[in-house]
Amino acid sequence: MKIGIGNDHVAVEYKEAITAYIQEKYGYEVVNFGTDSTERFDYPIAGEAVADAVMSGEVDRGIVICGTGVGISLAANKVRGIRCCTCSEPYSARLSREHNNTNMLAFGARVVGIELAKMIVDAWLTGEFEGGRHQRRIDMIRQIEARQLVRAEEARGWWRAFCMSRVG
Ligand code: RB5
């Protein structure tokens, strides 16, 4: 298993601790997409980079960390196909795998202590998607994404026609 990890300036030490934990406990490769500096770094950059790596197959799953975990998860979830949840405890992390088949996990360096973060990571890495009725709901989420694409395409077509009418 290959895990992509990303963070902003708030979560540099956190990222390092979680990376070492995953490598040592699970033997997984961890690919770093975050900043290694405490200079201000905008979390959407890291959220998108990890999300893109998950969707391209460069990594199997992603973990992203910012101050609260909220901003970086919002950014990741803008990438089509990403299901990223912000978790502050292991129960939601496990169920996010079993029911929602999350492919990314977020948490907040300013919210959860490092030992709790490790428990969240354990629950998320070991949780298995249960399929069945849960798959139908995931399919519904994918359908939302598909409808958004269709709407964007329709808007592009409308705009093209409008521009052509102004030229003609
Ligand atoms: C950075 O100050 C902070 O806004 C960021 O780490 C994160 O908490 C945003 O959601």
Side-chain angles (χ1 to χ4, degrees):
M1 173 102 80
K2 215 191 243 192
I3 305 286
I5 199 161
N7 61 287
D8 70 0
H9 55 287
V10 172
V12 175
E13 278 182 28
Y14 237 80
K15 183 261 304 283
E16 288 165 1
I18 293 296
T19 297
Y21 181 69
I22 293 172
Q23 287 168 336
E24 282 159 25
K25 178 159 180 181
Y26 295 93
Y28 293 162
E29 185 180 344
V30 182
V31 185
N32 180 18
F33 293 90
T35 182
D36 294 318
S37 158
T38 50
E39 294 288 306
R40 278 209 178 120
F41 181 90
D42 296 327
Y43 58 78
I45 297 169
E48 183 180 19
V50 177
D52 278 343
V54 170
M55 291 317 295
S56 71
E58 181 183 346
V59 297
D60 300 295
R61 288 202 230 155
I63 295 177
V64 283
I65 318 162
C66 65
T68 58
V70 173
I72 204 159
S73 70
L74 293 177
N77 276 314
K78 293 294 175 199
V79 174
R80 197 153 59 96
I82 289 297
R83 291 178 301 282
C84 179
C85 64
T86 306
C87 292
S88 299
E89 33 69 34
Y91 180 71
S92 302
R94 175 172 300 283
L95 282 196
S96 85
R97 287 286 309 133
E98 293 179 355
H99 291 189
N100 316 113
N101 200 11
T102 47
N103 45 18
M104 285 183 65
L105 168 71
F107 51 82
R110 288 173 170 157
V111 180
V112 295
I114 193 67
E115 294 308 317
L116 181 56
K118 289 175 187 172
M119 292 166 78
I120 293 170
V121 166
D122 284 338
W124 187 71
L125 285 178
T126 56
E128 292 287 342
F129 181 49
E130 289 174 357
R133 70 185 191 281
H134 302 299
Q135 183 58 54
R136 187 175 57 80
R137 293 161 184 157
I138 303 244
D139 292 343
M140 290 171 73
I141 294 173
R142 295 191 81 97
Q143 284 159 16
I144 296 171
E145 293 175 332
R147 283 197 293 275
Q148 292 298 314
L149 269 187
V150 169
R151 276 185 204 138
E153 197 46 54
E154 281 170 0
R156 253 195 301 277
W158 180 89
W159 180 245
R160 219 175 287 125
F162 174 75
C163 292
M164 293 307 285
S165 74
R166 303 289 286 185
V167 171

Short mmCIF file of all heavy atoms in Angstrom, two decimals, residues 8-10 43 66-72 110, ligand 1:
data_model
loop_
_atom_site.label_atom_id
_atom_site.label_comp_id
_atom_site.label_asym_id
_atom_site.label_seq_id
_atom_site.Cartn_x
_atom_site.Cartn_y
_atom_site.Cartn_z
N ASP A 8 -0.27 21.53 5.59
CA ASP A 8 0.15 22.93 5.48
C ASP A 8 1.21 23.22 6.55
O ASP A 8 1.70 22.29 7.22
CB ASP A 8 -1.06 23.89 5.53
CG ASP A 8 -1.72 23.95 6.90
OD1 ASP A 8 -1.26 23.27 7.84
OD2 ASP A 8 -2.71 24.69 7.03
N HIS A 9 1.53 24.49 6.74
CA HIS A 9 2.61 24.88 7.65
C HIS A 9 2.31 24.57 9.11
O HIS A 9 3.24 24.43 9.91
CB HIS A 9 2.88 26.39 7.50
CG HIS A 9 1.66 27.24 7.72
ND1 HIS A 9 0.64 27.29 6.78
CD2 HIS A 9 1.26 28.02 8.75
CE1 HIS A 9 -0.32 28.10 7.24
NE2 HIS A 9 0.04 28.55 8.43
N VAL A 10 1.03 24.42 9.44
CA VAL A 10 0.64 24.15 10.83
C VAL A 10 0.99 22.71 11.24
O VAL A 10 1.17 22.42 12.42
CB VAL A 10 -0.89 24.39 10.99
CG1 VAL A 10 -1.40 23.94 12.34
CG2 VAL A 10 -1.23 25.85 10.74
N TYR A 43 -3.23 25.48 2.35
CA TYR A 43 -3.63 24.07 2.42
C TYR A 43 -4.30 23.52 1.13
O TYR A 43 -4.19 22.33 0.85
CB TYR A 43 -4.53 23.82 3.64
CG TYR A 43 -5.79 24.65 3.68
CD1 TYR A 43 -6.89 24.35 2.90
CD2 TYR A 43 -5.86 25.79 4.48
CE1 TYR A 43 -8.03 25.13 2.92
CE2 TYR A 43 -7.00 26.57 4.50
CZ TYR A 43 -8.08 26.25 3.71
OH TYR A 43 -9.19 27.02 3.71
N CYS A 66 -4.22 19.73 8.29
CA CYS A 66 -4.00 21.17 8.45
C CYS A 66 -4.36 21.51 9.90
O CYS A 66 -4.34 20.61 10.75
CB CYS A 66 -4.79 21.97 7.42
SG CYS A 66 -6.59 21.86 7.55
N GLY A 67 -4.69 22.75 10.19
CA GLY A 67 -4.97 23.12 11.58
C GLY A 67 -6.16 22.37 12.14
O GLY A 67 -6.11 21.76 13.20
N THR A 68 -7.26 22.41 11.40
CA THR A 68 -8.50 21.74 11.84
C THR A 68 -8.79 20.47 11.04
O THR A 68 -9.66 19.69 11.43
CB THR A 68 -9.71 22.67 11.64
OG1 THR A 68 -9.78 23.02 10.25
CG2 THR A 68 -9.59 23.92 12.49
N GLY A 69 -8.15 20.33 9.89
CA GLY A 69 -8.49 19.24 8.97
C GLY A 69 -9.62 19.61 8.04
O GLY A 69 -9.90 18.90 7.07
N VAL A 70 -10.27 20.73 8.32
CA VAL A 70 -11.46 21.09 7.55
C VAL A 70 -11.09 21.64 6.17
O VAL A 70 -11.53 21.14 5.13
CB VAL A 70 -12.34 22.10 8.32
CG1 VAL A 70 -13.48 22.60 7.45
CG2 VAL A 70 -12.88 21.46 9.59
N GLY A 71 -10.25 22.68 6.16
CA GLY A 71 -9.93 23.33 4.88
C GLY A 71 -9.31 22.36 3.88
O GLY A 71 -9.70 22.30 2.71
N ILE A 72 -8.38 21.56 4.35
CA ILE A 72 -7.65 20.67 3.44
C ILE A 72 -8.58 19.55 2.93
O ILE A 72 -8.46 19.10 1.79
CB ILE A 72 -6.37 20.14 4.13
CG1 ILE A 72 -5.33 19.73 3.09
CG2 ILE A 72 -6.66 19.03 5.14
CD1 ILE A 72 -3.91 19.68 3.63
N ARG A 110 -4.34 20.96 15.20
CA ARG A 110 -4.68 21.79 16.36
C ARG A 110 -5.86 21.22 17.14
O ARG A 110 -6.31 21.82 18.11
CB ARG A 110 -5.04 23.21 15.89
CG ARG A 110 -3.86 24.02 15.41
CD ARG A 110 -4.32 25.33 14.81
NE ARG A 110 -3.20 26.21 14.54
CZ ARG A 110 -3.22 27.20 13.66
NH1 ARG A 110 -4.32 27.41 12.94
NH2 ARG A 110 -2.18 27.97 13.47
C1 RB5 B 1 -4.05 27.94 8.88
O1 RB5 B 1 -3.93 29.00 9.77
C2 RB5 B 1 -5.38 27.24 9.06
O2 RB5 B 1 -6.40 28.04 8.58
C3 RB5 B 1 -5.39 25.90 8.37
O3 RB5 B 1 -4.37 25.11 8.90
C4 RB5 B 1 -6.65 25.06 8.50
O4 RB5 B 1 -7.03 24.94 9.83
C5 RB5 B 1 -7.77 25.44 7.65
O5 RB5 B 1 -8.83 24.78 7.61
#
